[in-house]
Amino acid sequence: METAQSLPTEEPPALKLRRDLLFSFQNEGEEPCYLIEDPVNEQYFRIGWLEHELIRQLDGTIQLPEALERLNHIYPEQAPLLTDIEIKTLAYWLMHSQLAYFQMPERKIWQLFNLPENPQHKTQWWNPLFIKINLVSPDEWLRKLLKKTQWILGWNFFWIVWLPVVISGLYLLAADSDRLISAATGLLSIHNAFYLIIIWAITKIIHEIFHGLVCKKYGGHIHEAGVFLVLLAPIGGYVNASSVWRFPNKWQRIHVSLAGMFVDLLIAGIFAWVWANTEQGALNFFAYNVILTAGLGTILFNANPLMRFDGYFILSDVLNIPNLYVAGQKYTQYLTKRYLQGQFEPLPAWTTTQKWIIKTYGILALWWRILIMIGILVTANLMMHGVGVIMATMGLFSWLGMPLIRFVKTLHKQPEAGSIVKHLLLVLGGTTIALLLILTQINWSPRWNAPAVLEYADNGFVHTQTNGFVKHIAVKNGDFVEAGTILLELENQELTAELKQLELQLKIHQQKRQQYLLKENLLSAAQVEQEKLLDTQHKYRKIVQEVSYLTIKAPISGYVIAEDLKMLEGAYLTKGKEILSIGDIQRMEVRFSIDQQDIDYFRANENKKAYFYSHGRVFQPVEATLNKVNPAGSKEIAHPSLTALVGGEINIRPKSANEKTEMNTDSQYEYLEPRFNGLMRLSHEQSHHFKAGETGRVVIESTPQALWEIIYFKLDRYFRILKARTEQMLNQQNVGH
């Protein structure tokens, strides 16, 4: 039972309980309770045994004080059962919840209390970041569908179909985890956004349908269904299954809450089989989208008990704490009033176990809401540019501004308003002074980092320049070679045959030209043969060069680096195939890729101290000099081992056919945003501790700065980036017009 926020001082009016209310006894948890069902407003309330015994006597002739007096006589050892304040609170709760008619002394008419407009409904349209829209009443449609699908909701289907599909699907994903991770590269690309939203919407519709079906299975009804919009995108649906509170068995309510996740994981398991048994292509990527939205999405969101989704209702029923979320909010409101406003209000009479659970849950849920709000605000700014700024501003006003306005409006009505204001000013003043001291007196050295990979210094990559079979391998891994040393010999019989054919044609054209020159009447024929000879000579020189490429030589002096060189024996190599590299194994270089937002920091630290943290030894950083930062950015992939395609952190996307043509490159992928390359050389001694190909991070530290300077710099950079994006968007619009 909820209490009124501010209790009037006058005596409550006479009350008469509504006759159409439905009461049911529930004996779950530490204390038995009664459930009140309001069939008109389709609302449910839980009250204790004592409150039930009191309000059932309200027939218009008996009022709460008289009813309490009767109970005090029946249970004299527990008298007084309720205080005057608790009686008054109960009376106003019944009236404001429209569970009882009231009658004012001056008017002998029984009437219901007119509910004021919910302030949350007013603020919803101030907050375009999160919108809830009621669409249909699906109860009758679900009743018909249940007759055809009830077999899916039973234990036989769970053991025979659901469990094997989900477990085997999970095994398939785990067995091919590398491909699963690398497939994420294009998941959040703009090209996939539309399909991702459509798949998400379809899976969430099925999710909500199964909530409704299980609710109908146990005799509940679904009078409302709709959709949630976050950043104007339909990220989820909902069904109003509040009728589950009339179910006497909590496991039935838990089954309703589990139904959506049940079908989500089943869909994910089915499409895990599709993904694992198809090659890369449209169907494979579609299956991957479904796996992430139906599988990972339901675990991160629906199963999360800190949000009022399925996981929360399951937790609330398992712990036997109804309205756990509301109870947690009451505790955080208690903390706010106690420490910000200086008001002390007693907490509800929770048991010791309930007290710790509710306090912990309330604080965790508060921090989670704050993180979600910050995430949505940042996403709105980054993804929607100028429109996102407007939406974020409206969202902030809805979340912070409107509650503050309501607080100010109700403050003057409270008799202790003066002491509340004094306490607030004291707290705000102390907080402001502490914040100023922190911002001005505490120095911090900001750290920036970039993904990196180790390579040999002066590394020269050797590629094939023509097609051919490997005939002979003249070196092995670790050999030192001089520039020009033969490394491999290829064989291409078609090429050598074409060379011999051209040699024969050259001799024929030379002989014919010589013969025609000896005869005056055949000078024109000699000229034709001369042209044929020149053309054949051009082809011959080209083929001779191609044949010379069959012998692969070292471009520079150094050590051969190719661990799998022996496996190339007899293999057919195409033109452009990288076969080995030559470098100085005594010296290694750290090559790293810098995000464009961090390039200014790295350029400012050029030729200064930096650290390399290898992923294999994160607690053993290597100090070296940041030798070079390329000031020109590019989307061309310079370090494939750092990309998400092979498990790295840099997201990439497939190139379009036009981009491949314009850039004159065979590369199939590119960075999402331009990145900048950097170089850090290690000493001989440092190089001995690493191997080529190890990945890690390059970390730089700036000189210590006051916190306010760091915050100012970051805000200034953020607004400069925002301004540049806005100007770019306007320029694109102008070009379009």
Side-chain angles (χ1 to χ4, degrees):
M1 185 186 73
E2 298 182 8
T3 60
Q5 291 182 354
S6 59
L7 194 64
T9 57
E10 65 271 9
E11 290 298 321
L15 298 176
K16 182 171 70 172
L17 198 67
R18 283 171 45 193
R19 293 183 178 180
D20 59 339
L21 298 179
L22 303 176
F23 292 82
S24 57
F25 178 72
Q26 294 187 345
N27 190 18
E28 292 181 4
E30 298 183 6
E31 295 183 2
C33 63
Y34 282 85
L35 181 75
I36 305 176
E37 180 180 351
D38 181 353
V40 176
N41 297 314
E42 295 182 323
Q43 292 181 325
Y44 297 84
F45 305 90
R46 272 194 175 131
I47 59 174
W49 166 83
L50 177 59
E51 288 85 354
H52 171 263
E53 295 299 315
L54 285 171
I55 67 175
R56 290 304 292 266
Q57 300 182 53
L58 301 180
D59 58 1
T61 61
I62 299 176
Q63 294 306 306
L64 281 174
E66 185 179 351
L68 179 62
E69 186 176 351
R70 288 184 178 182
L71 288 180
N72 285 334
H73 284 299
I74 297 174
Y75 306 101
E77 67 280 359
Q78 301 179 29
L81 295 171
L82 291 178
T83 64
D84 291 340
I85 294 178
E86 290 172 332
I87 283 290
K88 190 180 296 185
T89 300
L90 177 61
Y92 276 98
W93 174 75
L94 289 169
M95 187 172 68
H96 292 165
S97 300
Q98 291 189 332
L99 298 178
Y101 299 100
F102 73 96
Q103 185 184 76
M104 301 305 293
E106 63 274 10
R107 299 182 63 188
K108 301 299 182 181
I109 299 176
W110 292 106
Q111 56 187 332
L112 286 175
F113 183 75
N114 291 324
L115 292 174
E117 185 178 357
N118 191 336
Q120 291 186 352
H121 294 164
K122 291 182 179 180
T123 58
Q124 174 175 310
W125 300 106
W126 282 98
N127 185 4
L129 302 179
F130 184 86
I131 299 174
K132 178 180 176 182
I133 302 175
N134 177 21
L135 296 177
V136 295
S137 176
D139 193 72
E140 182 61 24
W141 178 78
L142 287 171
R143 184 185 64 80
K144 296 178 180 178
L145 183 62
L146 180 64
K147 296 178 181 179
K148 301 178 180 179
T149 58
Q150 191 156 1
W151 59 277
I152 303 177
L153 309 177
W155 282 107
N156 289 338
F157 183 86
F158 174 81
W159 291 111
I160 298 173
V161 179
W162 189 91
L163 203 59
V165 168
V166 173
I167 292 177
S168 60
L170 186 62
Y171 171 79
L172 291 173
L173 297 179
D176 205 357
S177 58
D178 291 339
R179 186 163 73 101
L180 183 72
I181 295 171
S182 64
T185 53
L187 184 67
L188 298 179
S189 69
I190 192 66
H191 306 290
N192 189 52
F194 173 77
Y195 302 103
L196 193 63
I197 291 174
I198 293 299
I199 293 171
W200 181 276
I202 293 173
T203 55
K204 290 309 156 189
I205 289 173
I206 299 172
H207 175 105
E208 298 303 327
I209 287 174
F210 268 73
H211 279 310
L213 288 174
V214 177
C215 183
K216 294 295 295 179
K217 175 183 178 180
Y218 295 119
H221 62 274
I222 306 295
H223 60 85
E224 181 181 315
V227 65
F228 289 120
L229 302 181
V230 174
L231 297 179
L232 304 181
I235 64 111
Y238 75 94
V239 293
N240 189 334
S242 56
S243 61
V244 299
W245 296 114
R246 70 160 66 148
F247 298 167
N249 189 332
K250 72 176 181 180
W251 297 109
Q252 294 177 342
R253 298 194 295 270
I254 290 175
H255 190 191
V256 174
S257 299
L258 283 170
M261 293 186 286
F262 168 86
V263 71
D264 281 346
L265 294 176
L266 176 64
I267 293 172
I270 293 171
F271 278 90
W273 276 87
V274 175
W275 176 80
N277 292 281
T278 54
E279 298 296 329
Q280 187 173 5
L283 178 60
N284 185 268
F285 196 62
F286 174 81
Y288 185 82
N289 275 280
V290 176
I291 292 168
L292 283 222
T293 53
L296 186 62
T298 198
I299 293 172
L300 292 179
F301 293 99
N302 296 99
N304 185 352
L306 298 178
M307 306 173 73
R308 295 194 70 179
F309 294 146
D310 306 335
Y312 159 74
F313 294 106
I314 294 171
L315 179 67
S316 179
D317 268 316
V318 169
L319 296 175
N320 291 315
I321 304 179
N323 297 320
L324 175 61
Y325 192 87
V326 175
Q329 281 189 318
K330 283 184 179 180
Y331 178 67
T332 56
Q333 290 169 1
Y334 160 82
L335 293 177
T336 301
K337 291 183 178 181
R338 179 72 180 89
Y339 295 104
L340 290 183
Q341 302 177 24
Q343 293 180 293
F344 181 80
E345 291 185 0
L347 288 169
W350 297 321
T351 65
T352 303
T353 303
Q354 288 177 336
K355 186 183 299 182
W356 285 107
I357 292 174
I358 291 171
K359 287 181 177 180
T360 304
Y361 181 86
I363 293 173
L364 291 177
L366 174 64
W367 280 108
W368 181 256
R369 287 199 304 273
I370 292 173
L371 289 175
I372 291 295
M373 287 192 296
I374 292 174
I376 292 175
L377 292 174
V378 171
T379 303
N381 279 331
L382 295 179
M383 295 186 64
M384 306 184 74
H385 307 304
V387 177
V389 174
I390 297 173
M391 294 176 66
T393 303
M394 295 176 67
L396 275 175
F397 180 74
S398 170
W399 285 329
L400 300 177
M402 293 296 287
L404 183 61
I405 291 173
R406 288 197 297 270
F407 170 73
V408 173
K409 284 183 177 180
T410 58
L411 181 62
H412 73 279
K413 299 179 181 179
Q414 302 187 36
E416 63 275 18
S419 62
I420 292 176
V421 172
K422 288 180 182 179
H423 190 87
L424 273 174
L425 291 176
L426 183 63
V427 171
L428 291 175
T431 304
T432 302
I433 293 172
L435 188 60
L436 287 174
L437 289 173
I438 292 172
L439 291 176
T440 57
Q441 300 303 314
I442 295 181
N443 293 334
W444 180 53
S445 298
R447 293 161 62 98
W448 290 272
N449 59 78
V453 62
L454 279 165
E455 294 180 357
Y456 291 113
D458 303 320
N459 204 12
F461 294 98
V462 179
H463 300 80
T464 56
Q465 294 179 284
T466 188
N467 302 332
F469 291 93
V470 178
K471 179 181 178 182
H472 175 63
I473 300 175
V475 295
K476 62 180 182 296
N477 184 43
D479 285 352
F480 179 81
V481 295
E482 297 286 350
T485 302
I486 295 176
L487 305 174
L488 284 87
E489 291 181 346
L490 305 181
E491 183 180 40
N492 189 324
Q493 294 181 356
E494 293 181 0
L495 205 59
T496 53
E498 187 177 356
L499 180 63
K500 291 179 180 180
Q501 181 67 26
L502 288 173
E503 288 176 347
L504 180 61
Q505 290 180 11
L506 280 175
K507 291 179 180 180
I508 294 173
H509 290 312
Q510 287 173 348
Q511 291 175 358
K512 285 187 176 181
R513 185 179 69 88
Q514 192 64 29
Q515 292 174 0
Y516 292 154
L517 286 174
L518 296 176
K519 299 179 181 180
E520 295 183 0
N521 60 339
L522 294 177
L523 290 178
S524 59
Q527 183 64 31
V528 172
E529 286 299 324
Q530 175 66 21
E531 293 176 358
K532 291 181 179 180
L533 179 62
L534 292 175
D535 182 60
T536 304
Q537 287 175 340
H538 174 72
K539 293 179 180 179
Y540 178 77
R541 285 192 294 271
K542 186 176 179 181
I543 295 299
V544 168
Q545 188 177 30
E546 288 281 326
V547 171
S548 69
Y549 291 154
L550 294 174
T551 302
I552 301 173
K553 300 179 180 181
I556 59 174
S557 299
Y559 291 88
V560 174
I561 305 166
E563 296 183 358
D564 300 326
L565 195 57
K566 289 184 179 180
M567 297 179 62
L568 296 179
E569 190 77 49
Y572 180 77
L573 304 181
T574 57
K575 182 178 179 180
K577 171 72 175 178
E578 180 183 322
I579 51 177
L580 55 84
S581 60
I582 298 175
D584 183 359
I585 62 174
Q586 303 298 321
R587 291 187 62 87
M588 305 197 74
E589 295 176 342
V590 180
R591 299 182 180 272
F592 51 97
S593 180
I594 307 167
D595 189 282
Q596 61 178 349
Q597 293 187 5
D598 297 332
I599 183 60
D600 292 338
Y601 304 114
F602 278 89
R603 292 193 65 186
N605 281 269
E606 197 168 359
N607 296 318
K608 295 181 181 179
K609 180 174 63 176
Y611 299 90
F612 172 69
Y613 290 81
S614 171
H615 286 151
R617 47 196 105 181
V618 293
F619 299 109
Q620 300 175 11
V622 175
E623 180 182 329
T625 300
L626 200 161
N627 302 102
K628 182 181 179 182
V629 175
N630 191 338
S634 173
K635 289 187 178 182
E636 287 296 303
I637 297 175
H639 311 291
S641 58
L642 301 179
T643 65
L645 198 61
V646 290
E649 64 178 81
I650 303 177
N651 289 324
I652 59 177
R653 67 179 181 186
K655 285 182 180 178
S656 65
N658 292 336
E659 288 172 328
K660 294 178 187 175
T661 304
E662 291 173 0
M663 297 181 181
N664 192 24
T665 176
D666 294 330
S667 176
Q668 301 294 315
Y669 297 91
E670 66 178 1
Y671 296 135
L672 298 181
E673 299 287 344
R675 299 187 69 88
F676 300 78
N677 298 323
L679 174 67
M680 191 169 77
R681 295 189 180 94
L682 303 184
S683 66
H684 284 280
E685 184 179 352
Q686 292 171 331
S687 299
H688 290 159
H689 301 288
F690 298 98
K691 293 183 179 180
E694 284 191 52
T695 59
R697 306 194 71 78
V698 167
V699 178
I700 60 173
E701 293 182 355
S702 68
T703 56
Q705 296 174 286
L707 287 179
W708 74 267
E709 294 179 293
I710 298 171
I711 295 172
Y712 174 80
F713 183 81
K714 288 184 176 292
L715 288 175
D716 179 66
R717 187 183 70 163
Y718 169 76
F719 284 112
R720 282 191 284 111
I721 293 173
L722 187 62
K723 180 181 178 182
R725 287 177 174 174
T726 303
E727 291 175 351
Q728 181 182 9
M729 182 176 63
L730 292 175
N731 291 334
Q732 291 175 348
Q733 290 177 349
N734 292 333
V735 171
H737 291 304

